[in-house]
PDB file of all heavy atoms in Angstrom:
ATOM      1  N   PHE A 220     111.456-135.519  -5.996  1.00  0.00           N
ATOM      2  CA  PHE A 220     110.918-134.155  -5.885  1.00  0.00           C
ATOM      3  C   PHE A 220     110.789-133.743  -4.414  1.00  0.00           C
ATOM      4  O   PHE A 220     111.019-132.586  -4.064  1.00  0.00           O
ATOM      5  CB  PHE A 220     109.562-134.068  -6.597  1.00  0.00           C
ATOM      6  CG  PHE A 220     109.698-134.012  -8.089  1.00  0.00           C
ATOM      7  CD1 PHE A 220     109.748-135.173  -8.842  1.00  0.00           C
ATOM      8  CD2 PHE A 220     109.828-132.795  -8.752  1.00  0.00           C
ATOM      9  CE1 PHE A 220     109.893-135.129 -10.216  1.00  0.00           C
ATOM     10  CE2 PHE A 220     109.972-132.733 -10.120  1.00  0.00           C
ATOM     11  CZ  PHE A 220     110.010-133.903 -10.857  1.00  0.00           C
ATOM     12  N   LEU A 221     110.417-134.710  -3.556  1.00  0.00           N
ATOM     13  CA  LEU A 221     110.334-134.389  -2.119  1.00  0.00           C
ATOM     14  C   LEU A 221     111.717-133.977  -1.611  1.00  0.00           C
ATOM     15  O   LEU A 221     111.846-133.036  -0.822  1.00  0.00           O
ATOM     16  CB  LEU A 221     109.790-135.578  -1.331  1.00  0.00           C
ATOM     17  CG  LEU A 221     108.306-135.918  -1.589  1.00  0.00           C
ATOM     18  CD1 LEU A 221     107.902-137.196  -0.845  1.00  0.00           C
ATOM     19  CD2 LEU A 221     107.384-134.762  -1.185  1.00  0.00           C
ATOM     20  N   LEU A 222     112.763-134.673  -2.081  1.00  0.00           N
ATOM     21  CA  LEU A 222     114.138-134.283  -1.711  1.00  0.00           C
ATOM     22  C   LEU A 222     114.421-132.856  -2.172  1.00  0.00           C
ATOM     23  O   LEU A 222     115.029-132.069  -1.452  1.00  0.00           O
ATOM     24  CB  LEU A 222     115.156-135.228  -2.361  1.00  0.00           C
ATOM     25  CG  LEU A 222     115.395-136.595  -1.717  1.00  0.00           C
ATOM     26  CD1 LEU A 222     116.417-137.376  -2.520  1.00  0.00           C
ATOM     27  CD2 LEU A 222     115.855-136.444  -0.264  1.00  0.00           C
ATOM     28  N   ALA A 223     113.969-132.535  -3.383  1.00  0.00           N
ATOM     29  CA  ALA A 223     114.208-131.191  -3.924  1.00  0.00           C
ATOM     30  C   ALA A 223     113.577-130.116  -3.046  1.00  0.00           C
ATOM     31  O   ALA A 223     114.062-128.990  -2.968  1.00  0.00           O
ATOM     32  CB  ALA A 223     113.667-131.099  -5.354  1.00  0.00           C
ATOM     33  N   TYR A 224     112.494-130.483  -2.359  1.00  0.00           N
ATOM     34  CA  TYR A 224     111.838-129.541  -1.444  1.00  0.00           C
ATOM     35  C   TYR A 224     112.438-129.589  -0.043  1.00  0.00           C
ATOM     36  O   TYR A 224     111.934-128.956   0.878  1.00  0.00           O
ATOM     37  CB  TYR A 224     110.333-129.847  -1.354  1.00  0.00           C
ATOM     38  CG  TYR A 224     109.522-129.141  -2.418  1.00  0.00           C
ATOM     39  CD1 TYR A 224     108.842-129.858  -3.397  1.00  0.00           C
ATOM     40  CD2 TYR A 224     109.415-127.745  -2.433  1.00  0.00           C
ATOM     41  CE1 TYR A 224     108.085-129.218  -4.366  1.00  0.00           C
ATOM     42  CE2 TYR A 224     108.660-127.095  -3.399  1.00  0.00           C
ATOM     43  CZ  TYR A 224     108.001-127.842  -4.362  1.00  0.00           C
ATOM     44  OH  TYR A 224     107.260-127.190  -5.306  1.00  0.00           O
ATOM     45  N   GLY A 225     113.478-130.444   0.142  1.00  0.00           N
ATOM     46  CA  GLY A 225     114.171-130.489   1.425  1.00  0.00           C
ATOM     47  C   GLY A 225     113.583-131.470   2.423  1.00  0.00           C
ATOM     48  O   GLY A 225     113.952-131.454   3.593  1.00  0.00           O
ATOM     49  N   HIS A 226     112.669-132.342   1.997  1.00  0.00           N
ATOM     50  CA  HIS A 226     112.120-133.341   2.925  1.00  0.00           C
ATOM     51  C   HIS A 226     113.100-134.491   3.102  1.00  0.00           C
ATOM     52  O   HIS A 226     113.862-134.820   2.194  1.00  0.00           O
ATOM     53  CB  HIS A 226     110.806-133.911   2.373  1.00  0.00           C
ATOM     54  CG  HIS A 226     109.711-132.905   2.254  1.00  0.00           C
ATOM     55  ND1 HIS A 226     109.088-132.359   3.349  1.00  0.00           N
ATOM     56  CD2 HIS A 226     109.133-132.336   1.169  1.00  0.00           C
ATOM     57  CE1 HIS A 226     108.166-131.503   2.942  1.00  0.00           C
ATOM     58  NE2 HIS A 226     108.185-131.465   1.620  1.00  0.00           N
ATOM     59  N   SER A 227     113.048-135.125   4.283  1.00  0.00           N
ATOM     60  CA  SER A 227     113.803-136.364   4.479  1.00  0.00           C
ATOM     61  C   SER A 227     112.905-137.509   4.050  1.00  0.00           C
ATOM     62  O   SER A 227     111.717-137.525   4.417  1.00  0.00           O
ATOM     63  CB  SER A 227     114.181-136.540   5.952  1.00  0.00           C
ATOM     64  OG  SER A 227     114.961-135.436   6.346  1.00  0.00           O
ATOM     65  N   ILE A 228     113.452-138.467   3.343  1.00  0.00           N
ATOM     66  CA  ILE A 228     112.590-139.540   2.821  1.00  0.00           C
ATOM     67  C   ILE A 228     113.027-140.920   3.321  1.00  0.00           C
ATOM     68  O   ILE A 228     112.664-141.950   2.736  1.00  0.00           O
ATOM     69  CB  ILE A 228     112.527-139.504   1.274  1.00  0.00           C
ATOM     70  CG1 ILE A 228     113.928-139.614   0.663  1.00  0.00           C
ATOM     71  CG2 ILE A 228     111.811-138.242   0.791  1.00  0.00           C
ATOM     72  CD1 ILE A 228     113.909-139.942  -0.820  1.00  0.00           C
ATOM     73  N   GLY A 229     113.830-140.964   4.382  1.00  0.00           N
ATOM     74  CA  GLY A 229     114.246-142.240   4.960  1.00  0.00           C
ATOM     75  C   GLY A 229     114.973-143.095   3.941  1.00  0.00           C
ATOM     76  O   GLY A 229     115.863-142.617   3.248  1.00  0.00           O
ATOM     77  N   LYS A 230     114.561-144.351   3.852  1.00  0.00           N
ATOM     78  CA  LYS A 230     115.238-145.268   2.930  1.00  0.00           C
ATOM     79  C   LYS A 230     114.498-145.394   1.587  1.00  0.00           C
ATOM     80  O   LYS A 230     114.712-146.339   0.825  1.00  0.00           O
ATOM     81  CB  LYS A 230     115.356-146.644   3.587  1.00  0.00           C
ATOM     82  CG  LYS A 230     116.327-146.617   4.781  1.00  0.00           C
ATOM     83  CD  LYS A 230     116.863-147.992   5.121  1.00  0.00           C
ATOM     84  CE  LYS A 230     115.758-148.930   5.560  1.00  0.00           C
ATOM     85  NZ  LYS A 230     116.162-150.216   6.050  1.00  0.00           N
ATOM     86  N   SER A 231     113.611-144.440   1.314  1.00  0.00           N
ATOM     87  CA  SER A 231     112.814-144.521   0.082  1.00  0.00           C
ATOM     88  C   SER A 231     113.696-144.464  -1.161  1.00  0.00           C
ATOM     89  O   SER A 231     114.738-143.812  -1.171  1.00  0.00           O
ATOM     90  CB  SER A 231     111.832-143.340   0.007  1.00  0.00           C
ATOM     91  OG  SER A 231     111.099-143.225   1.180  1.00  0.00           O
ATOM     92  N   LEU A 232     113.221-145.135  -2.203  1.00  0.00           N
ATOM     93  CA  LEU A 232     113.888-145.092  -3.506  1.00  0.00           C
ATOM     94  C   LEU A 232     113.876-143.661  -4.040  1.00  0.00           C
ATOM     95  O   LEU A 232     112.854-142.986  -3.986  1.00  0.00           O
ATOM     96  CB  LEU A 232     113.089-145.993  -4.450  1.00  0.00           C
ATOM     97  CG  LEU A 232     113.722-146.488  -5.736  1.00  0.00           C
ATOM     98  CD1 LEU A 232     114.883-147.420  -5.394  1.00  0.00           C
ATOM     99  CD2 LEU A 232     112.684-147.219  -6.571  1.00  0.00           C
ATOM    100  N   ALA A 233     115.017-143.182  -4.529  1.00  0.00           N
ATOM    101  CA  ALA A 233     115.060-141.846  -5.136  1.00  0.00           C
ATOM    102  C   ALA A 233     116.314-141.751  -5.989  1.00  0.00           C
ATOM    103  O   ALA A 233     117.215-142.586  -5.865  1.00  0.00           O
ATOM    104  CB  ALA A 233     115.083-140.764  -4.058  1.00  0.00           C
ATOM    105  N   GLU A 234     116.357-140.760  -6.860  1.00  0.00           N
ATOM    106  CA  GLU A 234     117.557-140.533  -7.674  1.00  0.00           C
ATOM    107  C   GLU A 234     118.185-139.218  -7.195  1.00  0.00           C
ATOM    108  O   GLU A 234     117.830-138.145  -7.677  1.00  0.00           O
ATOM    109  CB  GLU A 234     117.178-140.489  -9.150  1.00  0.00           C
ATOM    110  CG  GLU A 234     116.740-141.839  -9.679  1.00  0.00           C
ATOM    111  CD  GLU A 234     116.021-141.744 -11.010  1.00  0.00           C
ATOM    112  OE1 GLU A 234     114.863-141.304 -11.026  1.00  0.00           O
ATOM    113  OE2 GLU A 234     116.629-142.084 -12.035  1.00  0.00           O
ATOM    114  N   LYS A 235     119.122-139.374  -6.267  1.00  0.00           N
ATOM    115  CA  LYS A 235     119.686-138.178  -5.599  1.00  0.00           C
ATOM    116  C   LYS A 235     120.398-137.253  -6.576  1.00  0.00           C
ATOM    117  O   LYS A 235     120.391-136.031  -6.418  1.00  0.00           O
ATOM    118  CB  LYS A 235     120.635-138.606  -4.482  1.00  0.00           C
ATOM    119  CG  LYS A 235     119.925-139.394  -3.390  1.00  0.00           C
ATOM    120  CD  LYS A 235     120.719-139.443  -2.103  1.00  0.00           C
ATOM    121  CE  LYS A 235     119.922-140.098  -0.985  1.00  0.00           C
ATOM    122  NZ  LYS A 235     119.681-141.545  -1.169  1.00  0.00           N
ATOM    123  N   ASP A 236     120.993-137.852  -7.611  1.00  0.00           N
ATOM    124  CA  ASP A 236     121.722-137.023  -8.593  1.00  0.00           C
ATOM    125  C   ASP A 236     120.768-136.220  -9.475  1.00  0.00           C
ATOM    126  O   ASP A 236     121.217-135.393 -10.278  1.00  0.00           O
ATOM    127  CB  ASP A 236     122.643-137.905  -9.443  1.00  0.00           C
ATOM    128  CG  ASP A 236     121.924-139.109 -10.034  1.00  0.00           C
ATOM    129  OD1 ASP A 236     120.941-139.574  -9.403  1.00  0.00           O
ATOM    130  OD2 ASP A 236     122.313-139.561 -11.121  1.00  0.00           O
ATOM    131  N   LEU A 237     119.473-136.458  -9.333  1.00  0.00           N
ATOM    132  CA  LEU A 237     118.529-135.717 -10.182  1.00  0.00           C
ATOM    133  C   LEU A 237     117.732-134.662  -9.410  1.00  0.00           C
ATOM    134  O   LEU A 237     116.771-134.105  -9.922  1.00  0.00           O
ATOM    135  CB  LEU A 237     117.568-136.696 -10.861  1.00  0.00           C
ATOM    136  CG  LEU A 237     118.207-137.518 -11.987  1.00  0.00           C
ATOM    137  CD1 LEU A 237     117.189-138.469 -12.587  1.00  0.00           C
ATOM    138  CD2 LEU A 237     118.763-136.604 -13.084  1.00  0.00           C
TER     139      LEU A 237
END
Side-chain angles (χ1 to χ4, degrees):
F220 284 88
L221 291 175
L222 281 179
Y224 272 115
H226 296 290
S227 301
I228 57 165
K230 292 201 297 187
S231 309
L232 198 66
E234 291 165 286
K235 297 198 174 68
D236 51 331
L237 287 179

